Amino acid sequence: MTYLLTRFLPLAGLGLLLSSAAHAQQYQPTATGLRVSTDSLTVEVQFYSPEIVRVLKQPRAKETAKKSLVVVQAPAPGKLKYSAKNGQVTISSPTTQVVVNEKTGQVSFRTAQGQPLLSEQALGSRFTAKKDLNTATYRVRQLFQLAPGEAVYGLGQHQDGHLNYRGQEVLLKQKNLDIALPVLHSSRGYGVLWDNYSTTKFTDAAAGTVFDSEIGDCVDYYLLNGQGTADGVVARYRQLTGQAPMFPRWTLGFWQSKERYRSQNETVGVVEKYRALGVPLDGIVQDWQYWGEDNDLWNDMAFNNPGFPNPQAMLDRVHALHAHQMISIWPSFGRKSKPYQELASKDMLFDFITWPRTPHVKVYDAFDPAARDIYWKYLNQGIFKLGMDAWWMDATEPDQLQPFDTDDDNETALGSFRKMRNAYPLVTTGGVYEHQRQATSDKRVFILTRSAFAGQQRNGTMTWSGDVDSRWDVLAKQIPAALSLSMAGLPYWNCDIGGFFPNGQYPKGVKDPAFQELFTRWQQFAAFTPMMRAHGEGTPREIYQFGERGSWAFDAQAKYIDLRYRLLPYLYSNMWSVTSRAGTLLRALPMDFPQDAKVADLSTEYLFGPAFLVRPVTEAQYVNRPDKNVPVPADFSQTKNVEVYLPTGASWVDFWTGKRQAGGQTVRRETPIDVLPLYVRAGSVLPLGPRQQYTGEKDGAPLEIRVYPGANGEFTLYEDENDNYNYEKGAFATIRLRWNDKARQLTFYNRAGSFTGMQQARTFRVILVDEQHGTGVGADDAPAKEVKYAGKQTSVKL
């Protein structure tokens, strides 16, 4: 930094440094990075960690301070080094180099070894002056140059079937079915968070890659250096925007819902029917109009409907049946509701048409913290104090039914709706999460929501894919939609089993074998997503509507509900990995096999946690129905099959047969109606729980530990108190299990940690999987070695 040294040099040497000193004054080191002033721009580079770098660009004529709604981490630069040469200034952390052109403000990023990560285009920052609610601002664009062959993922959830977004154009604007999440994830091991809340167009074309936002006082983005790994990118994103808290363990069980249960007797009756049938169930959902059928009372947050005369008794009965209840809430209110009247009196309602289509239902301004306080006040008084377990926050986009350009002039507490719109789901879910956390630490927050934004994982949210149609092509598109959201950093996603709208395709609904086949295959997919939840309108979705035990649709569905419950130890341990290690449960194959070119844009299969390769069946195979109005029976006379690609770099064991196959090949897998192609990575250590009717029913039962030989492997089993926040204070325990393939030995290491109610001693049944034993849903007759474990290291030879 020669410009700082000149004042200490003798006059004789000063002339030698004048030119370099004058050059160096183009940039200034700051506490977190550096600041460069060009003829027209101010460019700031701020290190939030050695791997996270913020770039902030503003026209020199209009510099403003910006507080991010998304970022929760404070800058922590660590040790930085500066150098300047040939009009370029370089600032380096131990892992990341940032190079700024002092004349143009162009920024590029490299690894510590100087390998290119990402570069802006020269003169790629563009500001177009405009007015927003009579305030001077800009349309902002930033152009980047990606590398040839580079794949890019993320950007939220879009129902377009794409996984790799090279060569694509995506409109980032919240609406039902589409989730705008301005996070780009590159196959080169870095990510970009574009911190802007207005409608934004992402385009990748020959001319370059651009984020183009309708409103912005500045260009503001973060480079996330994952140091070459996809998990590293996600970890940096969560470090910057907030970690995902633990959900209650019971949320991993099976959920039943429909549009809608019309009385408390019907709601409770569904739970009672499941218990009588012996089909597991943990969650029941009460959808809309429990407040009454008058839209002027829309979302009154009270049980005004005469079909719900005693909501406390309803919840008490559901809890007595060892189930939990979720209820639908909205960001909008009818004019006769108490929340509407208070919010209207304080000018906290927007003036646009939402659903239901009436001018008397209005959306509240969730950007105003005082409005969020009011929202929770009524939610707490009318519902939460009854003991409600979870929230279905519907239409958090929020839903808008008139042309968008007329909505945008609404004024929020933080500026125009045009400027803030995409962040609405973040602030409205955040209001409920923060208030419930303040109310109690005994019940974990669980929010199911239709929309999301960057940072929302910290609000205890599970996103669902919206009101999708009941079609095979829609089912197929759920897979890349889910994987894109996961690679953008949000770990929890699910969808309506069977699709929300069946009537156009299946007017006979659940009585149509064609719908039964679609629903059954969709449910198999859902068993390997973070939430397994049946829901939809137009036809009932309860398992007993599909026939009796012994019928193909009932039995195939029951099989996967049972399997879901056996997977609970695996699922809950993976949930802990999400919370403690910024893990990802729904894993696009490029995350784990970046060197396998065949998976770069493979959207038909995925990993579910570290062990499972899942290939959902997304086409009709057994019901050929030429006329949708004339149902025909299923024809199982010939067993169908699908192609499955087994990624290179691992060998794979068929979950149902135990057969092991090498990676790097495409195989044909037979698909009877009750078989989802499912493979386990060799080396996996898989914990399975007992069959049970609800989560926690048999916590004292032995756990089955399956070992899939062919490689070394390990798994960390996690346990805690299941539905409070004591884990944040260290009240949990882990057991590390490690398989040594050469020695054929499984080691249970010393238990780490403890919690109230922990089993001090337990039994494990250890099974070595082969083609004769230890496969499928159950392995009760498989040869197993019984291990008595009391918290101290022990090993077993297989």
Side-chain angles (χ1 to χ4, degrees), residues 73 132 260 305 354 386 392 402 455 536 690:
Q73 183 183 2
D132 183 38
R260 64 198 179 279
N305 190 317
T354 187
L386 298 173
W392 182 325
Q402 66 187 50

Side-chain angles (χ1 to χ4, degrees), residues 402-532:
Q402 66 187 50
F404 286 143
D405 55 359
T406 59
D407 301 341
D408 286 349
D409 285 335
N410 277 269
E411 188 169 3
T412 79
L414 298 179
S416 73
F417 196 74
R418 179 182 295 106
K419 180 180 180 180
M420 305 304 300
R421 65 177 312 125
N422 281 344
Y424 191 90
L426 172 67
V427 293
T428 191
T429 60
V432 173
Y433 174 79
E434 291 161 9
H435 280 96
Q436 185 175 325
R437 288 299 308 262
Q438 292 167 8
T440 180
S441 61
D442 294 334
K443 185 192 292 280
R444 294 179 193 167
V445 182
F446 185 63
I447 298 172
L448 179 64
T449 179
R450 197 171 74 182
S451 194
F453 195 64
Q456 192 165 305
Q457 72 282 345
R458 65 181 183 255
N459 292 343
T461 58
M462 168 82 70
T463 305
W464 101 91
S465 61
D467 299 339
V468 297
D469 289 338
S470 301
R471 302 201 315 262
W472 287 101
D473 64 312
V474 172
L475 170 58
K477 290 175 181 177
Q478 298 308 289
I479 302 169
L483 299 177
S484 294
L485 196 72
S486 287
M487 291 194 78
L490 267 63
Y492 294 120
W493 176 97
N494 76 120
C495 56
D496 296 343
I497 297 176
F500 184 71
F501 290 116
N503 285 351
Q505 291 286 317
Y506 304 99
K508 302 296 184 181
V510 73
K511 302 305 179 185
D512 187 341
F515 178 72
Q516 294 178 5
E517 182 181 15
L518 174 68
F519 188 94
T520 298
R521 292 303 195 188
W522 207 313
Q523 193 212 51
Q524 291 169 4
F525 164 55
F528 290 87
T529 65
M531 185 181 188
M532 188 181 187

